[in-house]
Amino acid sequence: MDLDTIRDVVVARERADLAFVGGACGVLAGGTFLFSEPQEGLDRLVDITGFGWPALMETGGGLEIAATCTLAEFAGAMPGRELGMAVLRADWPGTALFARACRALLASHKIWRTATVGGNVCLSLPAGAVLGSLVALDGVALVWSPDGRDRRIPLREFVLGPGRNALTSGEVLRSITVPFRTLHAHTAFRKIALAPLGRSGAVVMGRRELYGQCAITITAATGRPVVLDFAATPGDYEVSAAVEDIDPTLWFGDPHGAPDWRRHVSGVLAREVAAELRGEAGDSQ
């Protein structure tokens, strides 16, 4: 879609160029959402792809994923590119969630080569499976503030509700870091939708860390990702009780599923995920 309100596009080369961001100035990366519908409140864009951030980089804290990393790079779907497939190592089984999350989205492989991880996170939509996978792996967002300071926000606290997040005016998401302990975790994944090509009604992801800690993350069915933490891999009763205790106002409803249905299927999928993490089921779907 043509954005006929845009009068200026600034390609950011240094952090000072982000001073424009906020109000009527938006952030452009992949642009797959930005150009999908009118943006009547915007008259300027700042293109952050000019920074040239590496898509994936191993750091002292884990795997840093740039906000401008495309879904194709995130899923490891572009072999041979610098820090692409080589960084998604076999001894990091947690990264298996990356490709599964991308496949859960209603997007062609053409979109995968344009849409970005940061865009999926910052849209903060219930069906944002890439966001959900990074929450499930206990990712931490690095946010650049307009005053030049850095702010780190655990992704489980980043989303406040459908389409709402913790970013304030002028702030830009720089990256998300997934810690080594969850990169080494065993994971499981389940998704359900009312139609074969329909938007996700519920997506449930689980991880079991090397020392036994376990977490089950529910998204798409709730207005924001919900993380259920356990000291060890839970049994069915423990999972059911935890799902039952979720704030009833968090269950999301739209044409792709009613809240009561989403609550029910989330419980079913969460028990399947826990069973797989206990070694009682086959490979995750």
Side-chain angles (χ1 to χ4, degrees):
M1 175 176 290
D2 291 336
L3 300 182
D4 56 11
T5 62
I6 301 301
R7 300 289 176 258
D8 189 22
V9 176
V10 177
V11 179
R13 304 293 184 188
E14 54 187 35
R15 190 162 174 173
D17 294 328
L18 298 177
F20 296 106
V21 173
C25 179
V27 174
L28 170 65
T32 55
F33 173 79
L34 192 66
F35 289 97
S36 69
E37 59 183 54
Q39 306 291 337
E40 297 175 354
L42 298 180
D43 61 22
R44 173 182 282 178
L45 297 175
V46 173
D47 184 350
I48 62 173
T49 62
F51 284 116
W53 297 325
L56 301 160
M57 177 180 292
E58 183 175 349
T59 70
L63 177 64
E64 183 179 37
I65 303 158
T68 51
C69 174
T70 66
L71 300 190
E73 291 167 324
F74 181 68
M78 301 179 74
R81 295 199 51 179
E82 183 181 5
L83 293 175
M85 286 290 283
V87 86
L88 301 182
R89 302 190 323 225
D91 61 336
W92 287 354
T95 61
L97 285 184
F98 294 176
R100 290 170 181 158
C102 290
R103 288 196 296 269
L105 298 172
L106 292 177
S108 70
H109 285 275
K110 292 180 181 179
I111 296 295
W112 278 28
R113 291 175 180 270
T114 305
T116 61
V117 170
N120 192 268
V121 170
C122 291
L123 278 176
S124 302
L125 299 178
V130 169
L131 163 66
S133 69
L134 293 170
V135 172
L137 293 173
D138 224 12
V140 177
L142 171 60
V143 174
W144 280 2
S145 297
D147 60 4
R149 291 186 296 178
D150 293 345
R151 195 156 71 101
R152 296 188 183 274
I153 308 171
L155 271 191
R156 64 167 67 192
E157 301 172 8
F158 185 83
V159 180
L160 307 178
R164 297 188 300 113
N165 58 51
L167 292 179
T168 61
S169 179
E171 289 190 322
V172 172
L173 176 66
R174 165 61 181 89
S175 62
I176 300 98
T177 297
V178 177
F180 288 114
R181 61 180 175 79
T182 61
L183 290 171
H184 289 288
H186 176 61
T187 62
F189 179 98
R190 295 291 188 277
K191 171 195 168 180
I192 192 169
L194 288 175
L197 296 178
R199 183 173 294 175
S200 300
V203 176
V204 179
M205 291 172 264
R207 74 169 193 270
R208 188 190 71 234
E209 298 180 24
L210 294 178
Y211 295 101
Q213 299 97 326
C214 180
I216 294 176
T217 298
I218 297 173
T219 189
T222 47
R224 57 175 175 78
V226 174
V227 183
L228 308 175
D229 292 302
F230 304 92
T233 311
D236 286 354
Y237 178 81
E238 194 175 357
V239 171
S240 296
V243 173
E244 196 69 24
D245 284 343
I246 293 174
D247 182 349
T249 64
L250 289 178
W251 296 108
F252 185 68
D254 67 4
H256 302 282
D260 57 347
W261 173 77
R262 283 182 148 129
R263 178 180 180 180
H264 171 72
V265 297
S266 294
V268 172
L269 298 183
R271 289 189 292 273
E272 290 183 6
V273 162
E276 182 173 330
L277 294 179
R278 294 194 303 268
E280 299 173 8
D283 292 339
S284 59
Q285 299 172 357

